[in-house]
Structure formats: structure tokens, C-alpha cells
Amino acid sequence: MSDPVYPPNNPYATSETENLSLPLYGASFGEAVKRFFKKYATFSGRASLSEYWWVALFNFIVGFVAVIAMFMSGALDIEPGAVEVPTEAVVVEWLVNIYGLATLIPTISITVRRLHDANFSGWLYLLVLVPILGALALLILTLMPANPVGTRFDKRELWPEQPTAA
């Protein structure tokens, strides 16, 4: 049984991977990671549950591999104030730091867009500044299902014609 694409028949959503302005409900792992890097610093709009959680899995896998690489290079065994540090450890630490800096802005932006899809303000991302409870609250907010009212965070010119009151 496959997961239903939410919301059904939503004129504000898309299943086209080329249209980056709307959320991609039911995104595959590859599509989500590709969109993550293409929408590097896009804070407007929305991101579907699948987009967000596939990217979270991707970042978890990269982090897990990085920890293994740091362990194997000896980067985790360096004593504070050590004079000699293995070259491999320095290279691995630099690569990990570069990846972390390169994905900092896109990670924040996809989280903000995920909040928008659930019809929450992106400013709620600042909850991460509250120790422990803020991150837990943000986790719960990112688990919320899509809310059609979240289209208010889309660019207006993308909306289909709206009926006007007579």
C-alpha cells in the first residue's frame, strides 16, 4: 500500500519535479535531495513531508559516514593541546566542517518551508534557540501534516485564478 499524496487534487501543489516553486508531495529520495540543493536559500514557499524527511535522512547518513571517517582517521582520539595531529584527521575534520557550513542555510530554508506547508510561520524555527524543548517543539511541528491554508506562503502569481466576490 502506498502513501496517499496529500492533499488530493490540490491545485496549489505539483507532482512535476521541474516546478520548484510548489511542494512536491510524494517526492522520492533523489528528487528531494536534488530539490534541497536547487532551492539552496529559498525561504518562501512550502516543502512537503517527503521532501523534508528524505533530506533529513540524507543528512543523517552523511553525518553517520562522517563520524565513521573521523573515527577511522583518529580525529576523535586527539587530545586537547596535542602537538602532532594526523594529516588524515585534519582533512576529514575540514571536509566535515565544509559540508556543515555548505548545508547550514539549505537546512534552515527547508525547515522554514516545511513549517509553511503545515501553515506555521517560518519564524518558529527560532525555537531551536530554546535548549532541548525548542528542538523537540520544532520536531513536532515538522511532523504535522500539510495544511491547504499554507498556500498563503506561496508567491501570489503562482496561484490559479481565484473566484471574486460579486
Side-chain angles (χ1 to χ4, degrees), residues 66 69-78 84-97:
M70 290 175 72
F71 180 74
M72 292 176 65
S73 70
L76 300 178
D77 297 331
I78 298 172
E84 291 191 25
V85 178
T87 306
E88 302 85 25
V90 173
V91 170
V92 169
E93 286 184 20
W94 271 97
L95 290 175
V96 168
N97 289 334

Side-chain angles (χ1 to χ4, degrees), residues 19-161:
N19 188 350
L20 296 176
S21 10
L22 298 173
L24 181 61
Y25 295 101
S28 69
F29 181 79
E31 291 170 332
V33 172
K34 193 183 312 180
R35 287 171 68 93
F36 172 67
F37 287 109
K38 282 185 176 180
K39 295 177 83 169
Y40 187 85
T42 304
F43 291 86
S44 63
R46 299 170 290 144
S48 68
L49 275 167
S50 57
E51 281 182 80
Y52 180 80
W53 288 108
W54 280 127
V55 168
L57 177 65
F58 174 75
N59 281 330
F60 175 79
I61 291 170
V62 169
F64 187 75
V65 170
V67 169
I68 290 172
M70 290 175 72
F71 180 74
M72 292 176 65
S73 70
L76 300 178
D77 297 331
I78 298 172
E79 295 292 326
V83 178
E84 291 191 25
V85 178
T87 306
E88 302 85 25
V90 173
V91 170
V92 169
E93 286 184 20
W94 271 97
L95 290 175
V96 168
N97 289 334
I98 289 170
Y99 178 79
L101 287 174
T103 58
L104 177 66
I105 299 297
T107 301
I108 294 171
S109 74
I110 197 169
T111 306
V112 166
R113 286 185 278 118
R114 176 68 212 121
L115 290 170
H116 288 171
D117 192 44
N119 195 32
F120 295 113
S121 170
W123 288 104
L124 287 174
Y125 182 83
L126 295 177
L127 287 171
V128 298
L129 299 175
V130 178
I132 302 168
L133 295 177
L136 182 63
L138 189 61
L139 172 68
I140 291 168
L141 292 176
T142 58
L143 289 170
M144 297 300 229
N147 186 336
V149 182
T151 57
R152 68 188 176 110
F153 295 104
D154 290 341
K155 294 180 181 174
R156 295 257 182 208
E157 65 267 10
L158 297 174
W159 292 8
E161 290 298 318

